[in-house]
Amino acid sequence: MTALLVAEAVTRRFTRRPSLGDRIAAAFGARHDGRAVQAVTDVSLAISRGETLGLVGESGCGKSTLGRMLAGILPPSSGRVLFDGAAPMQSGHKVTTRIQTVFQDPFASLNPRLRIGDSIAEGPVAHGLVSRAGRGALVADWLMRVGLDPAFAQRFPHQFSGGQRQRVAIARALAMQPEVLICDEPVASLDVSIQAQILNLFLDLRRDLGLTCLFISHDLAVVRHVADRVAIMYLGRIVESGEAARVYAAPLHPYTRALLDSSPRLGRDQAVSLRPVAGELPSPLAPPSGCAFHPRCPLATDLCRAERPALTARDSGRLIACHFA
Ligand code: SF4
């Protein structure tokens, strides 16, 4: 399969803006501590045409920042993103309309003053994908495809439930006829029963439209249902990636194992075996030495504290960053 979306050694740094206190202190001669946070460090990955890659990690691990760089919304500090052989950030919106994003909070991503029919038609009309005369038919078609009544086109976002709003957000993204859909925690804010409905809708649309997808989630159990391959991210770096079935059947990195142990699964005695990942995600302002997972890893040794393990290839395209995997 040919790679449609590629990240080559992408890194993203954010520098803390001086606060009012910092500026006042600077006026009296104090130096501003402009520490940079490295949200994503040296990440390389490729998503093949028609494939769904699941990107998993705890909140704050950098997965949404990586998703935004892949969507062309955020430029990398170094490295590059290639879409169909061209860099989206350098090619203007003609390329980036072919990548659309669905965010976690549909209420925040929909304009509260626009009827949802106008929200769905806005992009396709602006980019010449549909004429003004054809916008009504386009909106009705997409509302039906996501399981909503076409008459809802006249309603405002606050008149929908959370699950219905996420359906509208999916319709709005897909009405742009993208080749790549990036879903950033699309079901995290929904009830479990509604999550299943949205995931099934996603699977149906992906199959019918032949989409290439990046599915970002903190929950390995959610990604299990949708991903062909998974990449596990910890403190800005990929620590394990591979074919989803293999990773779930035999996780090799201690962090992947910990995430799986913390995630509910059918057929398992939850009371006995559900264990949250020990400890807290360290601050990216002060990442641990060596392997960043060592303060939480039950297998950590002096080597782990001193030396960061490289991401190395194992069998069947599996990549692992652990001295003892
Ligand atoms: Fe644990 Fe060491 Fe492997 Fe890091 S390198 S995951 S600390 S065993």
Side-chain angles (χ1 to χ4, degrees):
M1 280 197 285
T2 48
L4 184 59
L5 191 57
V6 177
E8 287 182 350
V10 294
T11 290
R12 178 67 206 196
R13 281 180 292 276
F14 296 100
T15 306
R16 189 171 70 87
R17 281 193 171 172
S19 64
L20 180 63
D22 291 332
R23 290 202 295 272
I24 293 170
F28 287 95
R31 276 187 50 201
H32 165 56
D33 174 14
R35 281 193 292 175
V37 176
Q38 195 136 308
V40 174
T41 306
D42 197 21
V43 168
S44 296
L45 54 80
I47 309 176
S48 301
R49 205 176 275 277
E51 180 183 53
T52 296
L53 176 70
L55 183 62
V56 187
E58 292 164 286
S59 288
C61 73
K63 56 191 188 305
S64 290
T65 303
L66 178 57
R68 280 162 197 259
M69 286 193 283
L70 287 166
I73 299 169
L74 191 68
S77 304
S78 63
R80 60 181 188 159
V81 174
L82 301 173
F83 173 67
D84 209 6
M89 300 305 292
Q90 292 161 15
S91 304
H93 65 253
K94 202 141 181 92
V95 169
T96 53
T97 59
R98 292 161 69 190
I99 306 175
Q100 293 294 313
T101 306
V102 174
F103 296 99
Q104 175 178 345
D105 182 359
F107 204 47
S109 61
L110 292 169
N111 184 337
R113 284 193 280 262
L114 274 190
R115 295 181 197 277
I116 58 111
D118 294 332
S119 277
I120 292 170
E122 192 180 30
V125 169
H127 290 280
L129 300 175
V130 68
S131 65
R132 290 202 172 272
R135 62 190 293 288
L138 176 100
V139 170
D141 180 38
W142 277 107
L143 285 175
M144 279 192 290
R145 283 199 195 204
V146 298
L148 295 174
D149 186 335
F152 289 177
Q154 296 306 313
R155 294 190 182 178
F156 290 94
H158 73 269
Q159 294 175 291
F160 292 91
S161 67
Q164 286 175 323
R165 269 197 295 271
Q166 198 56 292
R167 287 174 189 267
V168 172
I170 291 170
R172 193 179 57 155
L174 294 182
M176 291 295 292
Q177 303 171 16
E179 287 170 63
V180 177
L181 186 66
I182 295 183
C183 298
D184 188 356
E185 298 272 17
V187 296
S189 60
L190 305 176
D191 291 345
V192 174
S193 59
I194 309 296
Q195 284 187 9
Q197 292 174 16
I198 298 296
L199 288 177
N200 286 334
L201 172 68
F202 169 79
L203 288 170
D204 290 346
L205 290 170
R206 182 188 71 170
R207 182 198 59 221
D208 295 348
L209 303 171
L211 289 168
T212 302
C213 300
L214 176 69
F215 196 98
I216 300 171
S217 177
H218 66 281
D219 189 344
L220 262 175
V222 166
V223 171
R224 182 184 211 121
H225 295 291
V226 296
D228 302 306
R229 280 191 308 124
V230 287
I232 313 296
M233 205 165 172
Y234 189 78
L235 213 63
R237 293 179 188 271
I238 303 292
V239 295
E240 177 163 8
S241 70
E243 203 183 297
R246 286 174 176 270
V247 173
Y248 282 95
L252 295 181
H253 195 283
Y255 181 56
T256 314
R257 286 201 289 270
L259 282 178
L260 272 173
D261 285 346
S262 71
S263 152
R265 268 175 285 165
L266 280 177
R268 151 165 120 169
D269 184 346
Q270 309 297 347
V272 172
S273 51
L274 203 62
R275 275 173 300 174
V277 185
E280 299 275 318
L281 189 73
S283 166
L285 275 170
S289 60
C291 172
F293 189 55
H294 85 250
R296 307 169 77 184
C297 181
L299 307 178
T301 66
D302 287 346
L303 174 65
C304 306
R305 286 180 269 277
E307 208 175 291
R308 184 171 56 76
L311 190 64
T312 48
R314 304 291 165 95
D315 63 320
S316 319
R318 196 88 169 259
L319 294 173
I320 313 284
C322 174
H323 292 304
F324 306 108

